[in-house]
Amino acid sequence: MFARDPLHVVGAAILAGDRCLVARRGPGMSLPGLWEFPGGKVEPRERPERALAREIREELAIEIEVGECLGRSEVRQDGRTLVLDVYAARAADGREPHLREHSEVRWVGADELSGLHWPLADVPILPAVAARLHAHPDSTRCPAPFDIVSVDWALSPAKRAAYVARLRGSWSIAREEPPAGGWTLKALPCPLAAARG
């Protein structure tokens, strides 16, 4: 009997300040209920970074920018060697993850990583990810509160929509009610001023 070639998989430590996005494996996946750095298999002749961006697009419906490799692990699983490379990454499109296979995603800090249940392949990478999170300038404090106003600028002022994203430890997005007659350039600063109020 011939030994099978190692299975090469990649994972993304998607970073935002001193937090990392982790995903819980869904019931239709192997090792359901365990947390992981999301990713998947590298296809033949595919660059690992390209494979990772593709897998995250397929699994979470977000685009990422892939950075440096944070670590590699090799484990024996089901009679085969599994090689996992985990890359630092950041979300590139500002969209929230849409779960297609995973049951849950969560933003966690360095001290929360060890409290989750991980597949054996991910465990050796945890110290490198934790060190990266601890090294972030904001790792010892929460980000300062700030707000972003976004407008869907339809031709008719009555059809325009304004949203305010507020960062107060975590993000929340609220749709602002328009003034009488709809949103105009003059009225737009009001939601931001009220939010800061």
Side-chain angles (χ1 to χ4, degrees), residues 80-147:
R80 189 176 196 179
T81 300
L82 176 73
V83 178
L84 169 66
D85 291 325
V86 173
Y87 290 81
R90 73 173 194 89
D93 59 7
R95 289 187 290 178
E96 289 295 316
H98 176 73
L99 305 183
R100 294 181 171 155
E101 299 177 7
H102 295 88
S103 61
E104 183 182 352
V105 292
R106 186 184 297 174
W107 289 97
V108 298
D111 298 333
E112 299 169 272
L113 290 171
S114 61
L116 301 174
H117 296 289
W118 298 85
L120 288 177
D122 293 64
V123 172
I125 313 295
L126 297 179
V129 175
R132 178 67 180 264
L133 293 173
H134 279 305
H136 188 273
D138 292 333
S139 63
T140 58
R141 58 182 171 84
C142 293
F146 67 92
D147 308 290

Side-chain angles (χ1 to χ4, degrees), residues 1 16-18 22-23 26 44-45 57-58 64 76 94 96 98 118 122-123 139 163-164 170 180 183 192 194:
M1 183 172 172
D18 61 348
V22 297
R45 296 181 299 281
R57 190 179 311 116
E58 292 171 2
I64 60 168
R76 290 290 290 175
E96 289 295 316
H98 176 73
W118 298 85
D122 293 64
V123 172
S139 63
Y163 302 87
V164 177
S170 64
W183 291 112
L192 188 56

